[in-house]
Each structure stands twice: as structure tokens, then as C-alpha cells.
Amino acid sequence: MTEEFNTQGAENLVAIADQFAESGKVTDVKTFGSGNINDTFLVTLDSSEEQHFVLQRINTQVFRQPQLIMQNMRIFTGHVQKRLQCTPLNRRWEVPRVLLTKDAQDHWRDADGCFWRAISFIGGSQSFDSMRDRSYAKEIGYALGMFHNLISDLPPEKLADTLQGFHITPLYLQHYQEVLAKTRARQSLEVNYCLQFVSDRQTFAHILENAKSKGILPLRLMHGDPKINNVMFDTVTQQAVSVIDLDTVKPGLVHYDIGDCLRSGCNPAGEETENWESIYFDTDLCQLILKGYLSVAKVFLTENDYAYIYDAIRLITFELGLRFFADYLAENVYFKVKHPEHNLARAIIQFKLTESIESQETQIRKIIKDMISCPPNYP
């Protein structure tokens, strides 16, 4: 279980997991999930009460104040649990619980100073890296809409900003320009394509932040990373039952979430395809996801919110490509990579997807307009 975790060396994962074991003995710890930032493990217990939980080592190079992550998580998960107790849903919905150590702390620091935490495992559920079937699309939208709905009455100022600058596209553009200025990029068709792609869209990067600064779009709480594989589906009903990966929940614009959900959900080729020509934005999936989302989010969205949904879809796709390309130029310091060109390939996928979104602007805007004039009623 430690072969993929060489950075931890002689650290005993079982001993660390045991700090969070509420009942039973830790019998196994194995790598889990496909996240690009933290190191994640599934812990198995010989307990009839709780057989599994999720153990994570937080990447403190990315999250420099991990205590604030845990503080945020305890505040908003507590808020959601109270909401669900007061107004139960007519279907299964769970929010991951923060597990405490034996001395009632929400994290554990090992001998090397690494920051560990544990959260409950959403049993009887699974996630997917890409859309398995169109029947999942409305559920993906519903999941994000329910997540936003349940925290829509929690004042944004109650949560700390755990990642300063996260999902503020102009700041990513500024970082890219700084990296580019001190980097001699290896010339290739792929690199030149990315350089030109970014250059052509620099003014567009400010569209959402300008709307926020003018008071057109309100500050709310956002998930920060609502891609498909962060939605958990019940293995029996195939309904969405939870949204996970909560480290980036913070004050921001829900438009970055809406755009990111559609970006990842409407790309049938997936995030890691090697066939760039197969990449396209599926507007049928877009319609289904939005229908699911608006069925629970329409209670708090404004006319201005609807007006910026297309821009959000285009912008977040461009933003992620920009982040991948900047990290490639900086020699892969942020995202985990499997080979030196990995982030370049990831950037091209997002830029190709952006092109597809741009080529279908009229149709996407019509889908959104039709949703306003004929609000969805789902489920």
C-alpha cells in the first residue's frame, strides 16, 4: 500500500489511520481516487459500525493554511446537516462528516509535520471520471444544484478563503504572463497553438470578475471543483447522493461552479483523451445538466445570474487550460503529472473544448433562455 506513496517513506499509514478510527481496528489502507492535489487513501476497519473512511494527507504546498480548510468544512457540513434535519428531502442525500482523532482534533500531524485528516466514506456509492450514460446528466446537475441550495443561506463571510485567488481568472492570466516572461518555452506545434490561443482571449478573462466588482453578480459560497468525479451516485438507484472533495468550498461566484460542472459533464471524450479531434461540447448533455441544476437552484438565482451562464462555461474551460499550460511552462509544480508533457496535453484538451463551446454559443444561449421561459420541474 505504500509503493505509490514514496514521499512518506517509513511513515506507517496504518498508525496514522488508527488516530481517526472511532471503532474497530484498521485492517487495510490503500490508495483511493484520482485527485491531482492531495494524497487520498481508503481505510478499512474490522467494525460493524463503520467499515471504511477516507484518509487524506493535505498538500500544504497548495493549501498553506489547512486548519482553515477543516474549520470551513466543520461549519458548512454542520449547517447542511441542520438544514436536512429541519427539512428532510424525499430522497437520499449525504454530506461527508469530519472525523475527529482520539483526542478530539479535526486533524493529525505526523512526525514530519504532514497534515492528515479523515472524513466519512459515502457507502453504497460510486463516482465516474466521465459521463457513463446520458441518464446521469440531470443527476449531475441536481447534485450541484442541491449543494448550492443547501448552503445558499449560509453567509459567505462565515467561511475563510482557503485559496486566495482560486477561480479568479485574471489572476491566473497574470501568473501565466509572469511564468511566460521568465521561461523559454520549447517550440512545437502544440506549444505555439497554446500560446496563440491564450493571446487571443486575454481580454475575455475578466468578464466574471468585472461583473462581480460592479455588483452584477453576488458573492456566494461555491464548491470550487464540481467536476463529474466529485459527484457520488447510489449504486442501486443511480441517483446522485453527495458532492465530495470539499477543500475548495469558499466565498466566490457560483458561476465558476456551474461552468466547471458543464465543462466536465459535457465533454464525452473525458479529461485525459489522447484523441484531440474527438473533443466536443455536447449541447444535449448541457441541456440535461442545466435542467437538473435549475430544478433546485432556481430558488436563489437572479436574472443576472442567467445572463452570465454561457460566459461561465466558456471562461472556466479556458481558465483550466490556462492553468495547465502555465504549470507545463513552470515544469509541473502544481498538478500531478505522469510524464513531462502531461500538462501540455491537458491544456490542449481544454482549449479544444473551449473552441467547441465558442462555435456553439448561439445554441447554448438558446438552451439557457428556454430554461428561463420554461423553468424545469425535476425530479
Side-chain angles (χ1 to χ4, degrees), residues 37-324:
I37 307 298
N38 298 322
D39 295 300
T40 305
F41 304 88
L42 182 65
V43 178
T44 302
L45 303 167
D46 65 348
S47 168
S48 58
E49 296 178 23
E50 194 161 24
Q51 294 182 325
H52 302 285
F53 67 83
V54 176
L55 177 70
Q56 289 186 305
R57 185 183 75 152
I58 302 298
N59 184 339
T60 52
Q61 294 300 308
V62 174
F63 299 104
R64 296 189 178 275
Q65 294 181 288
Q67 299 92 332
L68 292 182
I69 291 177
M70 302 312 299
Q71 175 183 301
N72 279 2
M73 193 174 293
R74 293 176 76 170
I75 291 171
F76 74 77
T77 57
H79 177 84
V80 171
Q81 285 161 357
K82 286 180 182 176
R83 278 278 305 265
L84 292 173
Q85 287 170 0
C86 294
T87 313
L89 303 179
N90 61 358
R91 54 181 283 175
R92 180 187 176 194
W93 186 262
E94 296 185 33
V95 58
R97 293 178 292 109
V98 174
L99 304 185
L100 302 181
T101 63
K102 289 179 168 60
D103 56 354
Q105 300 300 308
D106 59 21
H107 67 277
W108 171 264
R109 285 196 182 271
D110 63 25
D112 294 330
C114 296
F115 191 100
W116 294 85
R117 62 99 183 274
I119 54 177
S120 60
F121 177 70
I122 308 296
S125 68
Q126 59 188 332
S127 64
F128 311 108
D129 285 331
S130 60
M131 188 82 69
R132 294 187 69 188
D133 185 276
R134 289 179 183 269
S135 63
Y136 289 91
K138 281 195 279 192
E139 284 296 312
I140 288 169
Y142 173 89
L144 181 61
M146 181 54 67
F147 180 87
H148 283 165
N149 189 323
L150 289 170
I151 59 174
S152 62
D153 59 339
L154 180 60
E157 60 270 15
K158 290 206 170 182
L159 295 196
D161 190 340
T162 53
L163 272 180
Q164 294 285 338
F166 185 62
H167 282 326
I168 297 181
T169 314
L171 294 181
Y172 290 119
L173 181 61
Q174 180 183 331
H175 171 70
Y176 162 78
Q177 291 166 338
E178 290 168 356
V179 170
L180 189 62
K182 57 186 179 185
T183 303
R184 183 168 299 207
R186 184 180 63 81
Q187 295 299 299
S188 68
L189 289 175
E190 292 82 6
V191 168
N192 290 341
Y193 164 78
C194 291
L195 290 169
Q196 189 62 50
F197 194 90
V198 175
S199 177
D200 290 343
R201 288 161 181 81
Q202 297 201 41
T203 56
F204 172 67
H206 299 263
I207 188 164
L208 290 187
E209 291 305 311
N210 284 350
K212 182 175 73 175
S213 65
K214 293 175 183 177
I216 298 171
L217 297 178
L219 191 71
R220 298 188 178 101
L221 290 176
M222 56 184 274
H223 179 279
D225 191 22
K227 56 184 183 289
I228 284 182
N229 61 9
N230 284 332
V231 177
M232 304 302 295
F233 293 88
D234 188 289
T235 52
V236 176
T237 67
Q238 304 304 309
Q239 289 185 320
V241 295
S242 188
V243 177
I244 60 168
D245 200 358
L246 306 174
D247 294 340
T248 51
V249 176
K250 53 169 267 182
L253 296 176
V254 296
H255 286 71
Y256 288 114
D257 278 355
I258 298 168
D260 205 18
C261 182
L262 289 163
R263 174 199 65 78
S264 67
C266 301
N267 173 16
E271 303 277 286
E272 298 283 343
T273 181
E274 296 179 4
N275 182 9
W276 297 333
E277 300 309 313
S278 70
I279 298 165
Y280 73 101
F281 184 85
D282 190 320
T283 54
D284 291 337
L285 287 174
C286 175
Q287 185 172 28
L288 291 169
I289 291 173
L290 273 176
K291 185 176 182 180
Y293 177 77
L294 295 176
S295 70
V296 278
K298 61 188 177 186
V299 295
F300 62 83
L301 291 179
T302 68
E303 283 187 31
N304 287 338
D305 287 324
Y306 286 102
Y308 281 86
I309 288 177
Y310 166 77
D311 297 310
I313 301 167
R314 179 189 174 200
L315 183 68
I316 196 68
T317 312
F318 168 71
E319 178 190 289
L320 184 57
L322 178 68
R323 292 174 64 197
F324 281 139

